[in-house]
Amino acid sequence: MPTSPSENESHKAREMAESFGVDAERYDRTRPPYPDAMVERIVAAAPGPDVLDVGCGTGIAARQFQAAGCTVLGVEPDARMAGFARRRGLEVEVATFEAWDPAGRTFDAVVAGTAWHWVDPVAGAAKAAGVLRPGGRLALFWHVFEPPLVVAEAHAEVYRRVMSGFPSQDRPAVSALDGYRPLFTKAAGGIRDAGAFGDVEEWRYDWQRFYTRDEWLDQMPTSGALTRLPPDALPEVLAGVGDAIDAMGGGFTMSYVTVVVTATRT
C-alpha cells in the first residue's frame, strides 16, 4: 500500500514518489503486471489506440498496452525510471503530470498504474480531461495485496524493530482493500470535480500469485517504505521476513485485487 506523511496529500510526498528509481531494474523485474482482462477492457472502452501513461515508471503497464495494439506515450518524473522504460522501447517524457506540456497532443485513453496517488487528484483529472478526445477513457488502477497473516505479522514485527517511526510499522487493523478505499474515493472525487467526465465506475479483478522466499525478498526493497531505508538496515528487514517465510515452508500465496477507477470524457 502506498505510504505517505498524510493520507490526504500523498501527491505532495515527492521524496518517496521519486525514490523508486534507486533500483529501476529490480522494480521492473519484481513488480507484477496487471491483469490482461483489465488491459483488454480499457482498450475496448477507449475510442482509439493512443494511450498516455501517467507515472509510467519502468513501463510495466505501458508494455502491456503496447502488446494490446496501442501506441503509448509515458510521462514519468524520475529520469532513472524513464531511462529504463526507454531502453525497453517506450517513448517517455520526464515531468510530473501537473507540469507536463502536452503541446496540443490528445489521446484516446489516459491511464495510471499504481501512480495516481502521487498526482494531485483534482488538477490531475482536469489535466487528463484536457488531453482526452471526446469519449476518451481515464483509467486509474492499483494493485492491492493481502499477504497471509503470518507474513503480515512478520513484516509488522521487523518494521517495529528496525524502522521505528515509519507509517507501515504496525499491521493495519483493517483489510488492505479497506485501507485503500480512501485513495479510491479521493481519485473518484477528483474526477467528478473536474466536471468533464461521465459517471465514475470501479472495476475489480481478483487474482493470486505464489511467491518463493527469494522472489518476495527480491521485491520488498522496491516498496516505498524501504527505498529510503539506510542500506545497513535493509538486510535485517529482509532476514526477519525471510525467516517467517522459511517457517511456512519457503513460500506463500499472495492474494491480489486490482481496482480500476475509471470514467469517460464527455
Side-chain angles (χ1 to χ4, degrees), residues 184 187-189 191-192 197-202 260-264:
F184 304 147
I191 294 171
R192 294 188 185 98
F197 293 91
D199 292 340
V200 180
E201 301 175 61
E202 186 175 298
V260 187
V261 177
T262 182
T264 300

Side-chain angles (χ1 to χ4, degrees), residues 1-4 10 16 20 114 117-118 142-143 145 179-180 183 224:
M1 180 174 179
T3 55
S4 70
S10 59
M16 185 179 292
F20 300 102
T114 316
H117 49 284
W118 304 123
W142 290 265
H143 288 319
F145 61 91
Y180 266 76
L183 187 154

Side-chain angles (χ1 to χ4, degrees), residues 32-146:
Y34 296 91
D36 290 338
M38 181 206 79
V39 174
E40 292 165 3
R41 187 174 181 183
I42 293 170
V43 172
D50 295 331
V51 173
L52 178 69
D53 186 357
V54 176
C56 67
T58 60
I60 294 171
R63 294 195 299 270
Q64 292 183 262
F65 280 95
Q66 285 179 325
C70 296
T71 300
V72 183
L73 173 65
V75 177
E76 168 57 43
D78 190 320
R80 298 164 298 183
M81 301 285 268
F84 185 97
R86 287 174 182 142
R87 291 192 293 274
R88 294 294 301 272
L90 182 66
E91 183 181 352
V92 186
E93 297 178 7
V94 178
T96 63
F97 185 49
E98 296 93 330
W100 173 70
D101 180 8
R105 293 167 291 182
T106 58
F107 302 85
D108 298 301
V110 173
V111 304
T114 316
W116 198 254
H117 49 284
W118 304 123
V119 175
D120 182 290
V122 177
K127 186 76 168 273
V131 300
L132 278 169
R133 295 163 187 155
R137 171 69 54 172
L138 175 61
L140 318 172
F141 42 90
W142 290 265
H143 288 319
V144 182
F145 61 91
E146 191 85 69

Side-chain angles (χ1 to χ4, degrees), residues 7-55:
E7 190 175 76
N8 295 321
E9 296 188 328
S10 59
H11 60 278
K12 295 183 180 179
R14 298 313 315 167
E15 181 183 353
M16 185 179 292
E18 297 173 15
S19 69
F20 300 102
V22 169
D23 191 345
E25 192 280 331
R26 181 196 296 269
Y27 187 100
D28 192 79
R29 181 180 69 244
T30 63
R31 288 292 184 108
Y34 296 91
D36 290 338
M38 181 206 79
V39 174
E40 292 165 3
R41 187 174 181 183
I42 293 170
V43 172
D50 295 331
V51 173
L52 178 69
D53 186 357
V54 176

